[in-house]
Amino acid sequence: MEGQIVKIISDLYSVKIGKDIYECKARGKFRNERITPVVGDRCIIDCKESVINEILPRKNSMERPLIANVDIAVIVTSVKKPDLSLNLLDKMISLVTINNIQPIICFTKLDLANKEELKEIKKLTKYYNSIGIKTTNNIKYKKLCKMLKKKIVVFTGQTGAGKSSLLNRIDNKLNLKTDEISEALGRGKHTTRHVELFEIKKMLIADTPGFSALDFRDISKEAIKNSFIEFKNSNCKFNDCNHINEKECEVKEKVKNNIILKSRYDNYINFVSK
């Protein structure tokens, strides 16, 4: 039968099939084949022998957190307290995009913003939506739940951005009092080193505070460039244009003409220069 690994403790794998959980061991062949089963893996199990026979191909995998087949990363982004950081937002968008994960931006604390700040958020929302990045806010949490239905989801964002409050809105039974996702899912802060998937409102949420390393170490400049999806449809003179020092660069022209958001371009330059 085909299922999905939702928890690993030592050499015991909890595999979810429908509403049932099967506790399994892994075949010794995985060690010889240098395959390490991780949370999120789709697998074939022998229910009678309680063993995992096969790990199915992954669409993505990550080391921090150690998880596979993530569908969506909800990037929880406050507009005030802490102030909106477009550099951090674009960094998260690039990192999840490079890992073949769909980013969804969720703005929070809109009630703390003044009219000018709300006007800027509206402008940002329109832009990100126009380039294919879905955007919502914590007030429209029901809309977010529809986006996340039957998906494997990681929530990430800066400390204090409102991840816990958002999860409380999604499921008020959580009664969360801190900003740690682990707390939201009924676990003490840093009391466990394993990643686990919990089913909440027909979605699987990873028990992890998100990405522990927000840098582009070991990521090529080409991959960073490709993560800026609005650059891809530009007809630059050179096919390998990096959109920095080259002449006749359509991306730079689009920035000048406010077609591409200047903050996005500035952040791109910042990322590839490090």
Side-chain angles (χ1 to χ4, degrees):
M1 295 180 68
E2 181 178 334
Q4 188 161 42
I5 299 173
V6 294
K7 181 171 68 173
I8 303 172
I9 297 180
S10 187
D11 62 347
L12 193 63
Y13 300 82
S14 298
V15 179
K16 187 175 187 296
I17 300 177
K19 294 182 179 180
D20 298 321
I21 300 292
Y22 295 82
E23 304 295 342
C24 300
K25 299 275 186 163
R27 292 282 189 196
K29 68 174 185 177
F30 294 133
R31 192 179 296 109
N32 297 330
E33 295 172 357
R34 296 185 179 181
I35 296 173
T36 302
V38 301
V39 167
D41 271 332
R42 304 292 306 181
C43 59
I44 303 296
I45 72 169
D46 184 324
C47 298
K48 290 182 179 180
E49 293 190 22
S50 297
V51 292
I52 298 174
N53 284 330
E54 182 182 356
I55 299 297
L56 299 177
R58 299 165 177 163
K59 74 173 187 176
N60 57 44
S61 62
M62 302 182 66
E63 292 185 5
R64 292 173 289 185
L66 188 58
I67 191 170
N69 298 318
V70 176
D71 297 306
I72 293 172
V74 178
I75 304 172
V76 184
T77 307
S78 66
V79 300
K80 298 282 285 187
K81 295 185 179 181
D83 290 340
L84 174 64
S85 170
L86 293 180
N87 181 277
L88 181 58
L89 173 60
D90 286 336
K91 185 179 289 186
M92 289 181 175
I93 290 170
S94 287
L95 285 169
V96 301
T97 301
I98 288 167
N99 281 285
N100 193 28
I101 299 170
Q102 177 190 353
I104 292 180
I105 303 168
C106 183
F107 289 113
T108 62
K109 304 187 181 181
L110 296 173
D111 56 313
L112 301 180
N114 59 38
K115 288 184 178 179
E116 284 301 312
E117 289 166 336
L118 289 173
K119 187 177 179 181
E120 180 64 19
I121 295 302
K122 188 175 181 180
K123 175 184 171 184
L124 289 171
T125 297
K126 183 178 179 180
Y127 179 80
Y128 283 111
N129 283 332
S130 73
I131 62 173
I133 299 174
K134 293 181 180 179
T135 306
T136 186
N137 59 62
N138 60 324
I139 299 169
K140 299 177 180 178
Y141 66 95
K142 290 183 179 179
K143 175 185 175 183
L144 179 62
C145 286
K146 289 181 180 179
M147 294 180 190
L148 305 181
K149 188 176 180 181
K150 297 183 179 180
K151 304 293 185 181
I152 294 181
V153 185
V154 171
F155 281 73
T156 190
Q158 64 200 117
T159 300
K163 295 187 290 293
S164 57
S165 298
L166 178 58
L167 281 166
N168 275 335
R169 282 179 175 267
I170 291 172
D171 188 346
N172 56 21
K173 294 178 183 178
L174 294 173
N175 194 27
L176 181 63
K177 295 181 181 179
T178 76
D179 63 359
E180 292 293 334
I181 298 248
S182 292
E183 297 265 354
L185 298 171
R187 314 186 68 90
K189 183 177 179 181
H190 302 308
T191 59
T192 179
R193 294 185 179 183
H194 69 267
V195 178
E196 187 169 349
L197 292 174
F198 289 82
E199 186 169 3
I200 296 175
K201 298 285 185 180
K202 296 184 179 181
M203 68 188 84
L204 287 172
I205 298 179
D207 174 18
T208 167
F211 306 97
S212 58
L214 285 174
D215 59 52
F216 292 102
R217 195 178 309 159
D218 301 324
I219 296 176
S220 69
K221 292 182 179 181
E222 184 73 13
I224 297 172
K225 180 179 73 173
N226 290 337
S227 71
F228 283 77
I229 54 181
E230 63 267 54
F231 293 0
K232 293 182 179 180
N233 294 324
S234 297
N235 295 313
C236 299
K237 181 177 180 180
F238 304 103
N239 292 331
D240 59 349
C241 184
N242 291 314
H243 319 307
I244 302 173
N245 298 317
E246 297 90 344
K247 295 181 180 180
E248 298 183 49
C249 171
E250 190 172 326
V251 166
K252 290 193 288 187
E253 285 299 314
K254 286 182 176 180
V255 175
K256 287 180 183 179
N257 295 321
N258 297 316
I259 297 171
I260 290 177
L261 203 62
K262 188 176 185 301
S263 61
R264 288 274 291 168
Y265 179 74
D266 290 343
N267 287 332
Y268 162 70
I269 299 295
N270 176 264
F271 300 158
V272 296
S273 64
K274 292 184 177 179

